[in-house]
Every structure is written in C-alpha cells, then in structure tokens.
Amino acid sequence: MSIVSLGIVRGLMSGALGAGLATGLTMLARSALGAPAWDAGQVTTIAVFVGVFFYLGGLGAFNYWLRWIAGRPDPEHASPPRPHWARYFSFDTNHKTIGVQYMVTSLLVIIIAGILQLIDRLETAQPGMQFLSTNTYNTLMSVHGISMLAAVLIGIAGMMNYVLPLMVGAKDMAFPRLNALSYWIVPPAVILLLVSLPTGGFDTGWTGYPPLSVKAPLGMQFMILAFYIVGWSSILGGVNFLTTIFKMRAPGMSLFRMPIFVWAVVATSVLQIIFTQFVGIAFLMVLLQRLLGLTYFDPNTGKVLLFQHLFWFYSHPAVYIFVLPGLGVISEVLPVFSRKPLFGYKAVAISSLGIAGGGALVWGHHMFAAGVESWLVVPFMFTTSLVAVPTGVKIFSWLATMWMGKIWLQTPMLFAISAIAVFLIGGITGVPQGIVPVDLYLTDTYWIVGHFHATLFGGFVFPAMAAIYFWFPKVTGRLMGERLGKLHWGLMTAGFLTTYMPMFWLGLNGMRRRVADYDPAMGLGPGNVVVTVGGFLIALSMLLFFINLTVSLRRGAPAPANPWGAHTLEWQVSSPPPEENFAAPPKVVGPPYGYGAPTAVHAVLSPEDDAGRKQG
Amino acid sequence: MARKGDLQRKLRLGYVVFGVLMVIEIVEYVVGTGLRSGNWPYLGILAIVGAWPILRYFMHIQQLRKPKE
Amino acid sequence: MAIPQDRHVEDRPAINRLGLWLFILSDGFLFVVLLTTRFYMQGVQRPAEVNQPLGLAISIVLLLSSLFAYRGETAAAYGDVKRFRRNILVTIGLGALFLAGVVIEWAEGFHFFPPQSTAYGTVFFTLTGFHAFHVVTGLLALVIILLPGQQKRLQSGNHWGVEAMVKYWHFVDVAWVFIFPTLYLVS
Ligand code: HEM
Ligand SMILES: [Cu+2]
C-alpha cells in the first residue's frame, strides 16, 4: 500500500492546502476592504479553522455524514484496512482503536511537554541566568503546563474509550463516528501547541490571564485555538460516554452493579459537558479582544476578573475531570490484587458524584489574592474545606479494601498504592491553601506547584501507569515485563518524591513559581538542585517504561484472557477482544467485585455459561 | 402509520402553544418597556415560563423518560 | 463469514435522542456563560438607543418559525412528506428574515454602542453574534433535511434526521427567549 492512502497523511496534506487557501483568500478580502493584507492574528486564526476542516475532510471524517446526507447507506463500521497497523492512522470507528490512539497521543505529548520542563529545570537549578532568556523560560514553562493538561485530557479519554464499552457490555460506544471525530481533532491541537513555540511563545503560564494574554505574542493565539479544539473533543467525548452508559448497558447491569470506573466516567463526563463551555468562552473572549478589539477585559470598559471567574469555574472542576478516571482505576485495581470486594462500594460510587458537585462551588479559592469582593472570600474558604470530604471517603475505602486482603504485589498494584499515597499528599497540602490567611502567603510559590503535581501524579500519572500495566495484556494479547515494570515503579516513585517534596520546603521559604531566576542569598540553591535531579529521575523511569512497552509489545509472553483473575466484563472476553467485543449481549448477574467468594460471578457471556452456573 | 385525525389534532396543538408564547412575549414586552427599573425578576420568570412550552411541546423533552409519547 | 449486524438489541431512537439532548445541554451552557457575562459586566444597564420594537419583531418571527418547524416535524412523523416540505420551507424563510433583522440591528449597534469602546456593545455583539451563528448552522441543518436524498428515508418511516434538526432549531429559539429580555428589556 502507498503511504498516501493512509488517512492521516491525506488529512495533513489537505489541511495544509486548506490553510494555504484560507490565508490567500483572507488576505485578498482584507485588501479588497482597504485594510493592509497581512494581519497575523486574523489571517492565521481563519487559516487554522479552515485548515482543520480541510484536514478532517481529507481524513475521511465527513464521509459517513455525507453519505447520510445523500441518503445512501451509512454503516457505522467500515471493514478495517490492511495491514492491521494502518487502522491506527485512519478514521477508524472502533472504540478499541480509538482508545489506543488517544493513549499513544497522550504519551507522545507527555514526552514533549516533559522535555520542555527539563530544559527549564536545568536553568533554575542554580540562581542567576545560565543559558535561557527569561522569555524562553516563561514560554517553555507555559507550553509545558498547557500541554500536560491537554495530555491528561487525552489520556483519560484513552482509558475511558478502551475500557468503558467493554465494562458495560456494549459492542461499541453509542456514537462511533462522533467518537472517531473527537479523537481526530486532537492531533491538529497538538500541532498548534507546538506551533506556538516558534511563533513567539507566550509568557502567561497555563492560565493565560488577561490583560497579559491580550498582549502576548502570536504564540498565545495558537495556544488558545489548541485548547479550544481539545475542549470540544472533551465535550463530544462526554456526550458519547454518558449516552453509552445510560443506554447501552448489558441486561442486568443495574446502576449499582456498574464497576466504579464507570461511575467515575459518569461524573467526569457530566463535568466535561457542562464546564468546558466556560473555559472555551473565556479563551474565545481573549481571542476576540485580540483580533477585533472587543473590550471584555479592558480595565476601563470591561472587567479584568471576568476571565478568572470563568476560567476557574471550569478549571477547578477540571482538576476533577483529570483525576476522577484515575481514581476509578485505583478502585478497579485494588480489589483484584487484594482479592477482596471494594469496601463501601455505594459510598465510593456516590462520592464521585459528590466530588463533581462540590467541585463546582469552590473556584474562588484560586482568586483569594486577586482582589475579588471580600464577601466572596469566606464562603469559598468554607466550601473548599468541604470538598476534601468525598475525596477522604475514597481514601478510606481503599485502605479498608487492602486491609487484611491477600495482597498480590504486581506492577499495577504497586502503582495503585503509590497513587494513593501521593494523592493523599496532594489533598492534604491543598487544605491549608484553602485557608485564606495561609494562602495569601503560599499563593504563587513552589508550594502550589508541589500541591498540584502531587494531586495530578496521584490522580492521573500513577493511575494511568497502573491502568497501562493492568490492561496491556487485554489490549495487546501479551504480558508486560514485570521486572522492568517494578523497576519503573520504584524509580518513578523515588523520582516523584525527590522532585516534589523539596518544593514544599522551597515554597515555604519564598521560592516564587514561574520565575527563571532567584536571589542566591535566599539559600534556595541546594533545594532547587534536588528538584532538578528528581525531574531527571522521573524522565529516566519513563525511559524504562517505554523500553518495557516496546519490548513487551514485540516479545512479551502471550496473555490469557484473564491473567489477573478479575471479575469485570472486559476480562471475560479474549485478549485482545474480538472486533465487536461480545458475541451476544452478556448477562450481568452479580456485583462487580465479588472477590474472595469462590462462587461469585459478575456476568455470564453465553446461555450455556448460565446453565452451567445454575447447575454447579 | 398513525391516523390522519391524530395529525390534525397535533397541528392544532401547535397553534395553541404558539398563541401562549405570543401572549407571554407581549406581556414581557409590556413589562420591559413599561417598568423602567427593577424589572429583571419579572422578566426572568417570564423567560422561564416562555421557554417551558417550547421544551415540552415543540422539543418533546418528556420523551427522555417516556419514549412513546 | 459475514458479521451479523446489530446483534445487540439497542434502541437507536432513544440513544440518538439522549445524545442530542446532552449536546443541547452543553451548548445551552454556552449561552448561560454569555448571559451571565452580560450581568457581570454591565449589571442591568442598557443604552436608550436599543431598538426595542425591532427586537420584539424578530422575536416573533423566530417564534413563528418554531411553529412551522413543529408542523413540519409532526407532518414528517405521520409520513406527510408534502406538508413537511412546505412547512420547513416557511421555517427557513422566517429564519432568513430573522437574520435580516439582526443585520439591521448590527448596523444600528455599530453606530450607537460600538463593541470596541462600550461594554454594552461588547456583550450585545457577542450574544447576538453567537446566536446568529447558531441560526446559520440551524438553517443549514434545515436545508439538509430538504435535500432529495432525505426523502427516501422519510418515506421508509425513519424521520430521525428531521427530528434532530428541528430540535436544534427549537433550541436556538429557546436561547433567544432568554437573550431577548436580557439585551432589550432589562433595566
Ligand atoms: C483532586 C485533586 C486536586 C487537583 C488535581 C488539584 C489541582 C490544583 C491545581 C492545578 C492548582 C494550581 C492552579 C494554578 O496554576 O494556580 C491548585 C491550586 C489549589 N488547590 Fe488544588 N487540586 C486538588 C485538590 C485540592 C484539594 C482537596 C484542595 C483543598 C481542600 C485544594 C485546594 C487548592 C487551593 C486552595 C489552590 C489555590 C492555591 C493558590 O493558587 O494560592 N486542591 N490545585
Ligand atoms: Cu481548585
């Protein structure tokens, strides 16, 4: 086959063509209207939107819909292309393909964003300016932040896509083509994030507050467009997941027989479809102010704080979007490797919704130092203290699940345990930040950086690793190397502690975040060296991980259908699962975590199975 | 295929809903232009009251729970 | 071996409907954000030059278009293709009329409260702009269901396409029901 027949290649070519055409036409239109032909902001924005459309067209994303419009038959699944790997580079509607695509993309973005920050860490290891300019430093730091968050959104979409339809016993997602579309708009966003580097970058940090972001170089605009696109991917994904969960569960799977991961996806998706609009509009407003001179954030005619309110109204719930799926993974892994039912199933299920609901009411805690109305401050302090409660429910449930269990320390379990410990650090350090007088001291210091990296490592990175080690056999039909895996785990946990624990100390001693340089007299040098060393330890552990991944993919031992003896549905089909998951709709007959009871069954796949179970 | 009489009944229902919407809109306008200040609570209530018939009778929101209606 | 289609019992209309409603919910929050922004930036202030009668007129036009969309969809559900086409055509015409009204308002708005120098102008143009964008996409959707390829599907009793597009059109109307008082009437 020729390379041009790959969807992605055709898409990129057509996208470049579209962007070029749009550039030309916009410039023509501008000069026809008597304006100077070139206006970097307006021309590139239009080029991006048109380019993305052309790219999707070239990819074949609209073929199904065009056929529908023309009134021709529009089957949801075309036969997968040959050779097999080609489907990963085409517009493929199978949720398992899409899950893998998301996950690989996420890992790629993590590598890129990680390298950017390693460069910055080399600079900040010592006081004084070594080899970066302050502007480059700020840009690298900002692109690191926003790219990592994009990677997290992409990564959770990967886990959810692969596992969720299997777990609820469906043959695919509710809207497979929409699902593929949600994935395929992500690569252009990643490209745009990278384009922001050579186009001047931006120095606002990931939050992009105006008025700075209104004045920042062109790079800012690419970041805004990229995040807007990822946001839509997130919204469309949320619609798809909720519909799948509420309409396509296998017979017998009542709400309280759903695995906890499914509950986590419900909460995540609700947050995604509601709150993403807020940040989307906030960023669009910045864009409109930059391009057309509207006055949302102008200090005279607008309101500067409007952006922060909208941004955090999304971005606090967003931190739960980032971590809820990961917490769901922990709740899946622990019972399997402790051979005990999950402790307090119902409380854990409801706590996901509690976190989602409570998370909507605390955004103001990010603005204590921003000069908001003073009557707003205390209520936010109060609600912030409250959100720690449902999270605590989960922590206690996990500990009680492991308590007196037959713990089997395979790599997924090790990662899950690290995740709990690290997430706990993150949660506990968050509480003092919620207390106004303390926060006024801590805000914008390395303490904050330590806090949110602990929550994100505990809520996403470690659980994502647990998820990959846990489901790798299911996805590929091969076992993942245990020895390298344990080494990866050890190094990553050590790397995490080395990197982020000193940050709390640094923050308390006055190390500001987002600065390229600091006063040598403060005695912060040694602490910063430790942080940098830790960063490289994490990078090294990731290297081991990628080696393990590629080696296992090629030479791993063949995996049985259910290597961990788990009960949930995805383990009851072959590894890798058949194209349409289940030969017939499975029948769910019991709770998902009946570990320890020898006769407990969650679901039966075929009528013969069922008959056998009733006799035996 | 359902009966023709049903269709006529449903089409008539459309006129009734539209009439109600019209009345609400006019009241809204009168309140908005007549009451020079502090009119927003009334307008808010009227807007919600006006949105409901559209959601219920034009968009059939109840089908989410009872698919057959 | 041929893969048998649709072995899983799934209730397609119900699935599609839930998906569409969730999308509408999410899109509705877009307008929630913008309406909130209006009050946050401007309170209930409103320049005297806002053309209230014109606002009322285009509101009525949009409501009227919803009525015809409803008639069209109902006719489609009963397989009355002719009546369906007639009503949807009227809907499209009324939608276009609404857009013409918006254009007039924009011309006036640029004169009295320019978006580049007044807060009210900024919110006015943002709200009406986003809404007009929805009207345009809604009109496109309505044109699509009138295309010849769609008629076959209708005659075979599957009118999901019509139902979906018309729901979206009504949603655009609901959004306007909130936008109209917010921009034209509160004070
Ligand atoms: C679910 C896990 C959590 C995640 C992923 C998370 C994430 C974050 C992030 C990313 C920031 C920094 C935002 C910035 O760039 O300025 C932050 C700040 C903050 N977090 Fe968390 N957080 C979590 C849990 C908590 C908890 C449980 C609390 C308190 C009970 C909390 C309280 C705070 C406060 C008060 C700030 C603002 C600090 C400041 O900027 O001065 N967080 N968090
Ligand atoms: Cu927060």
Side-chain angles (χ1 to χ4, degrees):
Chain A
M1 57 171 275
S2 84
I3 199 87
V4 185
S5 70
L6 277 185
I8 187 169
V9 178
R10 270 182 291 133
L12 290 176
M13 287 182 346
S14 146
L17 179 74
L21 274 179
T23 308
L25 285 180
T26 316
M27 286 172 67
L28 271 182
R30 279 183 60 89
S31 39
L33 291 174
W38 180 248
D39 174 292
Q42 293 184 4
V43 174
T44 51
T45 304
I46 294 176
V48 165
F49 277 116
V50 176
V52 170
F53 252 85
F54 269 64
Y55 150 89
L56 287 174
L59 190 64
F62 300 136
N63 293 0
Y64 292 95
W65 283 293
L66 290 178
R67 274 203 291 273
W68 183 87
I69 289 175
R72 297 222 300 280
D74 55 326
E76 259 162 12
H77 298 279
S79 49
R82 306 255 125 222
H84 181 71
W85 57 264
R87 72 186 305 182
Y88 293 100
F89 296 92
S90 327
F91 193 79
D92 191 281
T93 52
N94 190 302
H95 75 97
K96 296 186 286 296
T97 314
I98 297 172
V100 173
Q101 287 171 328
Y102 265 121
M103 209 66 213
V104 172
T105 313
S106 170
L107 289 173
L108 282 176
V109 178
I110 288 178
I111 298 176
I112 300 170
I115 291 174
L116 299 183
Q117 193 59 20
L118 285 178
I119 302 174
D120 265 11
R121 270 323 305 176
L122 284 176
E123 171 64 51
T124 29
Q126 294 166 36
M129 296 306 291
Q130 274 68 254
F131 61 99
L132 291 180
S133 71
T134 44
N135 248 335
T136 323
Y137 179 90
N138 284 343
T139 292
L140 292 181
M141 173 270 297
S142 306
V143 178
H144 160 81
I146 198 79
S147 309
M148 279 297 186
L149 294 184
V152 175
L153 283 177
I154 303 168
I156 59 163
M159 298 194 265
M160 301 195 295
N161 250 299
Y162 197 95
V163 182
L164 185 111
L166 283 162
M167 265 190 180
V168 298
K171 72 172 179 197
D172 205 318
M173 297 280 283
F175 306 108
R177 306 162 218 175
L178 186 67
N179 198 21
L181 184 73
S182 316
Y183 167 73
W184 278 105
I185 55 180
V186 165
V190 174
I191 294 174
L192 288 176
L193 279 176
L194 294 181
V195 168
S196 74
L197 282 172
T199 48
F202 54 100
D203 45 5
T204 59
W206 75 282
T207 48
Y209 282 178
L212 191 53
S213 57
V214 172
K215 302 200 182 97
L218 194 58
M220 186 80 225
Q221 184 182 309
F222 288 108
M223 174 280 218
I224 291 175
L225 292 170
F227 205 68
Y228 192 69
I229 294 175
V230 173
W232 268 104
S233 163
S234 185
I235 292 176
L236 297 177
V239 168
N240 220 334
F241 287 121
L242 283 176
T243 314
T244 310
I245 295 171
F246 285 114
K247 290 287 175 208
M248 311 211 9
R249 291 197 309 275
M253 183 172 283
S254 56
L255 286 182
F256 284 111
R257 277 183 183 167
M258 300 194 308
I260 291 294
F261 184 75
V262 179
W263 278 98
V265 178
V266 172
T268 310
S269 307
V270 170
L271 292 176
Q272 280 178 330
I273 67 172
I274 292 179
F275 290 98
T276 311
Q277 296 285 3
F278 287 77
V279 77
I281 293 295
F283 274 132
L284 272 193
M285 285 175 178
V286 175
L287 196 66
L288 289 175
Q289 181 158 353
R290 289 173 64 103
L291 297 181
L292 305 175
L294 303 190
T295 65
Y296 306 98
F297 311 118
D298 188 287
N300 298 318
T301 44
K303 285 267 204 285
V304 182
L305 281 187
L306 172 65
F307 181 87
Q308 296 190 26
H309 279 298
L310 294 180
F311 182 85
W312 287 114
F313 197 65
Y314 163 77
S315 291
H316 185 85
V319 305
Y320 296 115
I321 295 177
F322 302 152
V323 302
L324 279 171
L327 304 187
V329 169
I330 301 179
S331 298
E332 292 302 319
V333 169
L334 281 186
V336 175
F337 293 89
S338 308
R339 311 312 296 170
K340 269 182 65 192
L342 186 74
F343 184 87
Y345 168 90
K346 272 197 182 172
V348 178
I350 300 291
S351 77
S352 295
L353 300 182
I355 290 179
L361 302 173
V362 301
W363 80 93
H365 66 213
H366 295 276
M367 300 166 65
F368 286 153
V372 285
E373 292 81 351
S374 51
W375 56 269
L376 268 177
V377 167
V378 173
F380 279 123
M381 181 160 102
F382 186 70
T383 50
T384 302
S385 312
L386 278 183
V387 277
V389 174
T391 327
V393 169
K394 284 189 192 276
I395 301 257
F396 283 121
S397 146
W398 293 330
L399 295 184
T401 304
M402 286 194 281
W403 183 257
M404 307 272 281
K406 273 201 239 156
I407 293 185
W408 187 25
L409 286 180
Q410 296 295 91
T411 316
M413 181 64 169
L414 290 172
F415 272 110
I417 294 174
S418 283
I420 299 173
V422 169
F423 190 68
L424 192 61
I425 297 173
I428 289 178
T429 51
V431 177
Q433 291 167 195
I435 316 293
V436 179
V438 185
D439 184 61
L440 291 181
Y441 181 71
L442 293 177
T443 192
D444 270 334
T445 67
Y446 265 41
W447 175 285
I448 309 295
V449 184
H451 156 73
F452 69 74
H453 280 90
T455 53
L456 285 169
F457 266 77
F460 174 74
V461 179
F462 283 108
M465 291 302 156
I468 291 175
Y469 280 92
F470 187 53
W471 280 304
F472 184 86
K474 179 54 62 188
V475 177
T476 62
R478 290 180 186 277
L479 292 174
M480 195 132 165
E482 266 299 313
R483 233 169 345 120
L484 255 184
K486 290 199 168 108
L487 197 59
H488 166 207
W489 165 77
L491 205 57
M492 196 162 191
T493 308
F496 171 82
L497 295 173
T498 323
T499 313
Y500 296 104
M501 289 304 108
M503 285 195 183
F504 295 112
W505 179 85
L506 284 169
L508 284 176
N509 284 285
M511 177 81 191
R512 313 295 298 166
R513 70 189 279 207
R514 294 175 179 160
V515 292
D517 191 11
Y518 46 95
D519 188 351
M522 291 203 293
L524 299 173
N528 272 305
V529 172
V530 178
V531 171
T532 303
V533 170
F536 280 89
L537 277 184
I538 296 177
L540 187 61
S541 77
M542 285 300 281
L543 193 64
L544 290 185
F545 167 66
F546 284 112
I547 294 174
N548 197 359
L549 208 60
T550 33
V551 171
S552 310
L553 199 57
R554 298 240 176 136
R555 285 205 286 276
N562 191 355
W564 318 114
H567 287 192
T568 40
L569 267 167
E570 78 273 24
W571 297 106
Q572 314 311 319
V573 292
S574 62
S575 300
E579 184 71 20
E580 295 212 347
N581 295 351
F582 303 94
K587 216 168 107 197
V588 177
V589 295
Y593 307 116
Y595 302 104
T599 55
V601 180
H602 174 48
V604 285
L605 284 203
S606 61
E608 306 90 72
D609 247 16
D610 203 15
R613 191 181 60 93
K614 285 199 180 105
Q615 280 160 19
Chain B
M1 200 105 307
R3 283 176 301 114
K4 255 299 183 301
D6 272 4
L7 174 59
Q8 292 307 332
R9 191 174 54 76
K10 287 197 175 161
L11 291 180
R12 269 200 306 279
L13 178 69
Y15 286 121
V16 176
V17 175
F18 178 71
V20 172
L21 289 173
M22 237 37 283
V23 172
I24 295 172
E25 199 76 352
I26 304 287
V27 173
E28 212 171 61
Y29 189 76
V30 171
V31 171
T33 48
L35 216 62
R36 288 259 147 230
S37 68
N39 58 14
W40 62 269
Y42 309 105
L43 291 174
I45 293 170
L46 279 170
I48 293 171
V49 172
W52 174 245
I54 305 183
L55 289 168
R56 169 65 179 77
Y57 294 101
F58 284 176
M59 297 172 80
H60 313 292
I61 195 169
Q62 77 282 7
Q63 284 176 341
L64 283 177
R65 299 191 55 210
K66 290 177 277 170
K68 284 289 158 281
E69 255 180 55
Chain C
M1 194 191 83
I3 306 168
Q5 291 288 307
D6 279 328
R7 284 164 290 100
H8 289 251
V9 222
E10 48 176 42
D11 184 357
R12 255 299 134 187
I15 294 175
N16 288 347
R17 219 173 264 148
L18 178 61
L20 181 65
W21 273 105
L22 288 172
F23 176 80
I24 287 179
L25 175 75
S26 179
D27 212 13
F29 270 93
L30 185 150
F31 289 106
V32 172
V33 184
L34 294 175
L35 291 171
T36 320
T37 301
R38 186 260 193 266
F39 291 107
Y40 182 77
M41 280 180 76
Q42 270 281 287
V44 292
Q45 277 167 306
R46 172 170 55 80
E49 294 89 353
V50 177
N51 193 338
Q52 289 177 321
L54 183 55
L56 179 67
I58 61 174
S59 304
I60 293 176
V61 168
L62 203 57
L63 285 176
L64 202 57
S65 82
S66 247
L67 168 67
F68 282 98
Y70 166 81
R71 292 170 60 82
E73 187 205 340
T74 315
Y78 283 81
D80 189 343
V81 175
K82 256 220 202 106
R83 194 194 293 261
F84 152 76
R85 293 185 62 106
R86 225 168 38 229
N87 280 292
I88 296 297
L89 269 175
V90 176
T91 312
I92 293 176
L94 290 169
L97 194 60
F98 173 86
L99 280 183
V102 173
V103 170
I104 298 176
E105 310 230 275
W106 274 38
E108 290 182 4
F110 267 115
H111 184 64
F112 290 116
F113 34 88
Q116 275 107 342
S117 55
T118 61
Y120 182 83
T122 294
V123 279
F124 180 87
F125 280 90
T126 320
L127 260 172
T128 49
F130 272 98
H131 185 264
F133 175 75
H134 279 76
V135 173
V136 171
T137 48
L139 283 178
L140 271 178
L142 292 177
V143 170
I144 284 176
I145 53 174
L146 283 185
L147 293 180
Q150 297 294 308
Q151 312 303 316
K152 260 179 291 166
R153 197 177 280 118
L154 263 185
Q155 264 137 11
S156 70
N158 171 359
H159 79 293
W160 162 249
V162 176
E163 184 186 332
M165 308 305 189
V166 168
K167 265 204 180 69
Y168 182 74
W169 186 256
H170 290 311
F171 160 68
V172 174
D173 198 5
V174 173
W176 186 257
V177 165
F178 288 93
I179 296 174
F180 171 58
T182 310
L183 286 183
Y184 293 82
L185 298 180
V186 292
S187 54

